[in-house]
Structures are given as structure tokens and as C-alpha cells.
């Protein structure tokens, strides 16, 4: 397994890291067991956030007494200095530690900078001076904002969605990070669940010497799959290359990644599932997606107000109402038998 150094931070870990968002959905005992197994299996970088309900607390319990053996990154969605300081102290308490290896502004819609009037970047500098954080990072979903943050020279790491379905723009961002010595942390390496071949996903990441993927892990079976690549790391051979090329033809373009930042919907439409239903029907066992419950959820699309709130909030700048309608029409054809899926 290749070792990755995150830019100028000096943080060097295996190119196989743990994304701790999903463990908020696991019970405490299961979460702790998974986290400790991840460490035993060789993972050393663990990414969480204040916004991930009890994820931080579970990490704190799992790794109490062994803080120096791992790297922990967390995030804040605070918009004011007061909230920043409160959230940071809560995070440190939850994680049972007195410092973070990396603290990131979470899902930013602007590039916080010294003197911009918000006081937010100054909070990062203050926390660093106090020893509460060691490195300053940022996460984004909009490519323009991400590029601005990297070019600012203010951030040591950039966390951004990246997978073998990414476009040339995302590849340019990865290259820019490498040139600027900014560590690149790849979230959504499975494209929000659309990628179901972990071997291909891992092989793709190994092409980049500056990319650290954080895999969202909720179940022991998922973890064991990723850990198996520690000793037997897949590479871009002819078979995997051909597979990825086929996937790219089928899946790239304007598709919903299922991130959920567009929600809630005023009409209670489950946008993060309904706007990508056509793809999910063809990439996962369809019975669950065709249940009475999901039929009712899809029918809610008929109530869409076309208010545009979802499109305004979409980090990928998609025409979400149009995607919903398109997916609903396809869904009805599948239900009627006009179109068949596996």
C-alpha cells in the first residue's frame, strides 16, 4: 500500500483512510469495534465532523489512550467566531483529546481569509496558536470555491468529491493541489453509492501520489474489503481500465450524487434518492426501489413546486427539478413493464 503525505502537513499515512460519517448509523459497540479493527488493519487517518451527530464521540471512545498512534481530522460548519470556538471545544471533548491533527471548514460556500470581516480564518489561527489544532484545511463541493481556496495559499488540505467518475475539472483541481503542495483528501470515492466495485475505485486512486481517499464505512464487511487492499493493492491493469472506461461512458454527466445538501424539500420529496432513481434501479437490486414505500416517495415528485430551492443549494449546480421529472418518467416506465431492469 502506497504511503501518502498530505501536502505540507507532513501527515504521512497509507492511501486508505476511514471516513467516519456512516458510523453515526451504527450502534456504539459496532462502531467502536469497526474503528478499532480499522486501526488493527493498518488505517491511520480518521475523518469525522461536528455535523456527523455522534461520530466524534464514537471515535473518542474507540481511540482513548492511543491518541498518538493515529491522525484525526474533524470539521466545523460554524459561521461565526463564537460558534467556531464552541464547536471546536465540543469536538475536542467528544474525541477525548486536546488537539486535532487537522481542522477543516466544512462545505464552504466562500474562501475564508484573514481580514474578510468574518473573523473565521483568524479563529483557525488562534486555535493553532493555542495548540488545539495542528493544520488548517477546508472541504468544498463547488469546484470554483475549491480552486479559490487552493490558490489562496491559506489552506494545507482540500477535501473534495473525487472518483473515477470525476470530470476534467476535478482532475485539474487534484493537479493544482499537487503543484501547490496542498494535501488532497478524496471524499465520495464511490460517487455516493453509484460505484459498486471497490477494487476498481481503489485502483483508480493509486494513480495519484497526492490523493488520500477516505472511504465511508458503516459495516464490518465493508471494512474488511478495504483492509484487504493493504497487502494486495489493486492497480490499473487492462481489465480494470476497461471496466472504468465502460462505467465512465454510462455514468458521467449530470447525475445526482445523493449528497442531500439540497434538502429539506418544502414538499417533502426525498430528492437525494428520487433524483438518481434511474441509475439506482440499474445498479442495485431493484426490488427495494420498487417497493410501495418508494413508489409513494417517487409520486411526491408530482407535487414539485419548481421553487428552485434545491437547484440553488445543489453543490454540483444541477437542474434538480428537471432531474426529478426525468427520473420519475423513467420510474413509471419501469413500473409498467415498458422498461425492464435487473
Amino acid at each position: 500500500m502506497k504511503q501518502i503525505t498530505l501536502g505540507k502537513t507532513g501527515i504521512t499515512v497509507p492511501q486508505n483512510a476511514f471516513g467516519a460519517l456512516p458510523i453515526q448509523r451504527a450502534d456504539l459497540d459496532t462502531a467502536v469495534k469497526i474503528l478499532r479493527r480499522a486501526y488493527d488493519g493498518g488505517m491511520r487517518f480518521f475523518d469525522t465532523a461536528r455535523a456527523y451527530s455522534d461520530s466524534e464521540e464514537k471515535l473518542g471512545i474507540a481511540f482513548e489512550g492511543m491518541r498518538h498512534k493515529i491522525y484525526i481530522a474533524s470539521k466545523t460548519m460554524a459561521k461565526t467566531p463564537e460558534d467556531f470556538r464552541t464547536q471546536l471545544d465540543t469536538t475536542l471533548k467528544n474525541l477525548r483529546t486536546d488537539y486535532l491533527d487537522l481542522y477543516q471548514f466544512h462545505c464552504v460556500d466562500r474562501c475564508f481569509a484573514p481580514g474578510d470581516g468574518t473573523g473565521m480564518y483568524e479563529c483557525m489561527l488562534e486555535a493553532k496558536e493555542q495548540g488545539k489544532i495542528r493544520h488548517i484545511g477546508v472541504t468544498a463541493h463547488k469546484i470554483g470555491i475549491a480552486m479559490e481556496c487552493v490558490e489562496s495559499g491559506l489552506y494545507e488540505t482540500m477535501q473534495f468529491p473525487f472518483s473515477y467518475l470525476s470530470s476534467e475539472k476535478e482532475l485539474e483541481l487534484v493537479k493544482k493541489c499537487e503543484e501547490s503542495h496542498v494535501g488532497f483528501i478524496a471524499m465520495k470515492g464511490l460517487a455516493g453509492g453509484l460505484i459498486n466495485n471497490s477494487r476498481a475505485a481503489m485502483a483508480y486512486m493509486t494513480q495519484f501520489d497526492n490523493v488520500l481517499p477516505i472511504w465511508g464505512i458503516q459495516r464490518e464487511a465493508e471494512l474488511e474489503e478495504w483492509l484487504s487492499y493493504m497487502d494486495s493493492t489493486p492497480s490499473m491493469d487492462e481489465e480494470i481500465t476497461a471496466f472504468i472506461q465502460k462505467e465512465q461512458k454510462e455514468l458521467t454527466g449530470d447525475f445526482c450524487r445523493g449528497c442531500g445538501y439540497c434538502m429539506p424539500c418544502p414538499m417533502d420529496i426525498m430528492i437525494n434518492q428520487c433524483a438518481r432513481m434511474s441509475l439506482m434501479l440499474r445498479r442495485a437490486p431493484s426490488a427495494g426501489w420498487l417497493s410501495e414505500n418508494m413508489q409513494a416517495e417517487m409520486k411526491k415528485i408530482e407535487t414539485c413546486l419548481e421553487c428552485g430551492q434545491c437547484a440553488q443549494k445543489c453543490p454540483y449546480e444541477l437542474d434538480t427539478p428537471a432531474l426529478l421529472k426525468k427520473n420519475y418518467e423513467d420510474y413509471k416506465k419501469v413500473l409498467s413493464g415498458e422498461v425492464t431492469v435487473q
Side-chain angles (χ1 to χ4, degrees):
M1 174 61 65
K2 182 187 296 183
Q3 298 285 308
I4 295 294
T5 299
L6 285 175
K8 299 175 184 176
T9 68
I11 295 174
T12 301
V13 291
Q15 193 178 34
N16 200 1
F18 195 105
L21 183 153
I23 62 166
Q24 65 184 317
R25 296 190 286 268
D27 63 67
L28 177 61
D29 290 343
T30 300
V32 169
K33 183 178 180 181
I34 288 172
L35 288 163
R36 289 176 178 167
R37 171 61 187 138
Y39 172 82
D40 291 340
M43 288 186 170
R44 293 295 180 267
F45 187 91
F46 296 82
D47 178 88
T48 182
R50 182 78 291 278
Y52 300 165
S53 64
D54 64 356
S55 173
E56 292 177 335
E57 296 172 75
K58 288 168 176 172
L59 262 75
I61 293 170
F63 296 131
E64 188 172 19
M66 52 186 294
R67 177 67 182 87
H68 62 290
K69 296 181 179 181
I70 59 173
Y71 293 100
I72 297 179
S74 194
K75 317 180 191 77
T76 177
M77 297 188 81
K79 300 300 182 186
T80 67
E82 293 75 21
D83 284 346
F84 179 99
R85 296 184 183 101
T86 298
Q87 288 193 22
L88 176 55
D89 288 343
T90 300
T91 288
L92 293 173
K93 181 181 178 181
N94 288 341
L95 289 166
R96 305 189 181 194
T97 183
D98 57 3
Y99 74 96
L100 294 172
D101 296 288
L102 175 65
Y103 201 39
Q104 304 154 99
F105 286 126
H106 194 176
C107 194
V108 296
D109 57 8
R110 63 179 294 176
C111 176
F112 288 118
D116 65 8
T118 67
M120 297 304 292
Y121 194 85
E122 286 85 349
C123 284
M124 281 287 194
L125 294 177
E126 176 187 78
K128 195 171 184 180
E129 290 173 3
Q130 294 171 342
K132 293 182 178 181
I133 67 174
R134 294 188 172 175
H135 301 285
I136 300 172
V138 63
T139 85
H141 284 263
K142 294 184 178 180
I143 193 72
I145 297 296
M147 193 65 79
E148 182 183 354
C149 289
V150 172
E151 292 175 343
S152 73
L154 296 170
Y155 298 96
E156 297 170 271
T157 63
M158 164 57 65
Q159 185 173 149
F160 197 82
F162 187 65
S163 70
Y164 64 63
L165 297 181
S166 294
S167 69
E168 285 298 320
K169 290 182 179 180
E170 281 82 35
L171 287 167
E172 289 173 13
L173 179 63
V174 170
K175 184 178 180 180
K176 185 64 177 179
C177 283
E178 185 173 29
E179 293 171 349
S180 305
H181 304 290
V182 173
F184 188 96
I185 301 170
M187 61 167 142
K188 295 192 179 297
L190 297 179
L194 291 179
I195 293 174
N196 52 27
N197 185 325
S198 68
R199 187 171 183 80
M202 185 77 249
Y204 183 80
M205 296 295 182
T206 64
Q207 299 177 105
F208 305 93
D209 293 333
N210 66 318
V211 172
L212 178 65
I214 50 171
W215 310 111
I217 297 168
Q218 179 180 350
R219 299 178 179 86
E220 292 179 61
E222 297 169 355
L223 174 61
E224 292 304 326
E225 203 168 335
W226 295 117
L227 292 182
S228 71
Y229 302 142
M230 286 292 192
D231 295 325
S232 181
T233 309
S235 59
M236 291 290 287
D237 56 26
E238 290 184 10
E239 181 182 353
I240 289 180
T241 298
F243 174 81
I244 288 178
Q245 289 175 345
K246 181 176 180 293
E247 292 266 284
Q248 289 172 336
K249 289 180 181 178
E250 294 179 359
L251 294 173
T252 49
D254 290 342
F255 65 89
C256 174
R257 277 75 169 178
C259 69
Y261 287 110
C262 57
M263 297 165 72
C265 167
M267 300 308 294
D268 197 34
I269 299 171
M270 192 189 298
I271 302 172
N272 62 332
Q273 297 295 1
C274 297
R276 59 178 185 156
M277 182 57 69
S278 292
L279 290 171
M280 299 309 292
L281 281 171
R282 290 157 177 79
R283 300 187 63 77
S286 60
W289 299 113
L290 297 172
S291 66
E292 289 186 9
N293 180 60
M294 282 310 304
Q295 288 181 46
E297 291 294 339
M298 290 297 290
K299 190 172 178 59
K300 289 179 184 178
I301 295 174
E302 296 177 1
T303 69
C304 175
L305 300 173
E306 296 196 35
C307 62
Q309 292 183 36
C310 52
Q312 291 173 11
K313 291 186 286 186
C314 178
Y316 303 96
E317 300 179 346
L318 300 175
D319 185 348
T320 312
L323 273 179
L324 285 168
K325 290 180 180 179
K326 180 181 178 181
N327 277 267
Y328 187 40
E329 291 305 312
D330 181 59
Y331 190 78
K332 288 188 288 186
K333 290 177 182 178
V334 172
L335 280 177
S336 68
E338 184 178 344
V339 174
T340 58
V341 293
Q342 294 184 347

